[in-house]
Amino acid sequence: RHTRLQGDWSSDVCSSDLTTYNFTVTRSGETSISAAADWSVAENGSLTAEDFDGGVLPSGSISFAAGETTKTISIDVLGDSTVETDENLTVLLSNPSGNVDLITPSATAVISNDDTDWSVSGANVSQDEQDEGTQTTFTYTVTRTGETD
């Protein structure tokens, strides 16, 4: 009587978009009786409730009818335009019922940063004013970091 959590995910979160991450809960062993477990998303410092619709960390429960072996937990993550490090999205299983053992009670997906950052710096930020008709040149460097495609 086992319930195993495996995560699968594919795409990055894009600015102002919503990306769905799917986690598959696989049940093995004795499957002739019903079983259930609660699930929740773990806050981990960089990933907070603000990353989800409604500003609340997602949670819920999954129920297996007799004979069912897989269920999918779908979690929608909000996109943003903040340049940040990649974030871990961890789903936890807890409170099993139906004579179930949690063999793998968590799975983690990576939310890849896809935002870019720009900075401007001046090599010559101060120049003396030139005589009329003479051009004064200022040099600036523009640097872009993050995704470039």
Side-chain angles (χ1 to χ4, degrees), residues 84-148:
E84 55 196 348
T85 60
D86 293 346
E87 297 171 306
N88 290 328
L89 170 60
T90 301
V91 175
L92 307 170
L93 286 179
S94 61
N95 303 320
S97 63
N99 202 18
V100 172
D101 296 321
L102 298 177
I103 303 301
T104 309
S106 67
T108 300
V110 176
I111 303 171
S112 299
N113 178 62
D114 64 345
D115 304 305
T116 55
D117 192 19
W118 294 86
S119 65
V120 177
S121 61
N124 298 313
V125 294
S126 177
Q127 293 273 10
D128 291 333
E129 181 180 26
Q130 302 295 317
D131 293 331
E132 185 176 326
T134 304
Q135 184 176 10
T136 302
T137 302
F138 290 85
T139 303
Y140 294 90
T141 301
V142 177
T143 304
R144 177 181 176 197
T145 60
E147 292 289 323
T148 58

Side-chain angles (χ1 to χ4, degrees), residues 57-78:
L57 289 170
S59 63
S61 61
I62 52 170
S63 297
F64 291 90
E68 285 186 309
T69 57
T70 60
K71 291 285 186 174
T72 300
I73 298 170
S74 296
I75 299 172
D76 293 329
V77 178
L78 295 174

